[in-house]
Amino acid sequence: EAQVTQNPRYLITVTGKKLTVTCSQNMNHEYMSWYRQDPGLGLRQIYYSMNVEVTDKGDVPEGYKVSRKEKRNFPLILESPSPNQTSLYFCASRQRADFGPGTRLTVL
Amino acid sequence: GQQLNQSPQSMFIQEGEDVSMNCTSSSIFNTWLWYKQDPGEGPVLLIALYKAGELTSNGRLTAQFGITRKDSFLNISASIPSDVGIYFCAGPLIQGAQKLVFGQGTRLTINP
């Protein structure tokens, strides 16, 4: 089954504790991206990747890092999470965006 | 920053009613996308529009690409309970077509 998977689905952490949210797709798409969803703001793009080793900033990249070492995986890294990064995060593949199921992150 | 404005932000309707929502921008778009997000899930693409004036249907859903290329419309006919959710418009910025921008969403609630 063609899909985008994210892990974990739910995460509660504390300020400053590094975390990684994984994203994987099995559709051989070159383009992958990360979004955060906040009430009243819709979805905002954090980072995107056109292909392996090619990444670029979206609209809200501050406080996030990504890597794209293989085509299928695009992890989102928060080196030092802060409470304002509490949000619902979506990974997507393809420029028309096939979305994953989401990761709800709470930073205390 | 945010470049798409959706209206209305929320709708409360009776089952069976028709629904209309729109999305506007100060910039021209070459593609308009409409998504639906069910509670607890990621958005799912409903309709994609690629040409000014284009009218495309997907079942009871119809979307139109405005002729000015700065707006798009989504209509749902004869609403049913499973239409409940948040509807988003989106489009790739012409400058930097790799970036996809989204509207704030229209939350649809249906009273049976």
Side-chain angles (χ1 to χ4, degrees):
Chain A
E1 180 189 354
Q3 59 182 353
V4 178
T5 57
Q6 294 178 229
N7 282 291
R9 295 290 311 277
Y10 302 91
L11 179 59
I12 301 174
T13 189
V14 295
T15 298
K17 186 176 181 182
K18 180 179 179 180
L19 66 92
T20 299
V21 183
T22 64
C23 173
S24 182
Q25 52 99 0
N26 62 1
M27 295 168 281
N28 203 36
H29 290 152
E30 293 181 344
Y31 186 95
M32 296 184 74
S33 57
W34 276 101
Y35 297 84
R36 61 178 289 173
Q37 183 178 12
D38 301 291
L41 296 177
L43 292 119
R44 294 178 293 168
Q45 194 173 48
I46 302 170
Y47 269 95
Y48 63 93
S49 170
M50 297 290 290
N51 211 329
V52 175
E53 302 291 1
V54 181
T55 63
D56 208 347
K57 297 177 181 178
D59 289 324
V60 287
E62 294 77 22
Y64 305 94
K65 286 175 59 177
V66 292
S67 71
R68 188 88 182 275
K69 293 185 173 16
E70 348 163 56
K71 187 182 270 191
R72 65 181 291 124
N73 296 322
F74 190 44
L76 179 69
I77 303 155
L78 284 72
E79 295 269 2
S80 183
S82 62
N84 64 13
Q85 292 179 297
T86 293
S87 188
L88 180 57
Y89 291 87
F90 288 101
C91 178
S93 73
R94 194 164 66 134
Q95 281 170 294
R96 284 186 358 174
D98 295 320
F99 283 90
T103 295
R104 185 166 291 282
L105 173 65
T106 301
V107 183
L108 302 174
Chain B
Q2 188 68 264
Q3 298 196 31
L4 297 181
N5 294 305
Q6 278 187 253
S7 179
Q9 292 188 17
S10 60
M11 303 182 74
F12 298 86
I13 63 169
Q14 298 292 326
E15 183 177 351
E17 287 185 21
D18 296 342
V19 173
S20 291
M21 59 188 79
N22 67 75
C23 188
T24 61
S25 171
S26 57
S27 305
I28 289 173
F29 280 77
N30 286 331
T31 299
W32 285 97
L33 307 170
W34 284 94
Y35 294 84
K36 183 195 177 202
Q37 184 179 28
D38 289 325
E41 314 248 342
V44 174
L45 183 65
L46 299 173
I47 293 177
L49 302 160
Y50 300 106
K51 188 176 173 183
E54 179 181 353
L55 191 70
T56 297
S57 293
N58 178 2
R60 292 177 296 103
L61 277 63
T62 302
Q64 183 163 22
F65 193 139
I67 56 173
T68 66
R69 295 166 62 197
K70 293 184 176 181
D71 55 11
S72 181
F73 309 89
L74 178 69
N75 296 312
I76 306 172
S77 63
S79 59
I80 60 177
S82 62
D83 291 333
V84 165
I86 305 175
Y87 292 80
F88 291 101
C89 62
L93 293 174
I94 292 181
Q95 289 91 10
Q98 300 84 1
K99 290 188 181 182
L100 196 61
V101 293
F102 282 77
Q104 310 96 317
T106 293
R107 183 181 293 274
L108 179 62
T109 303
I110 298 175
N111 298 317

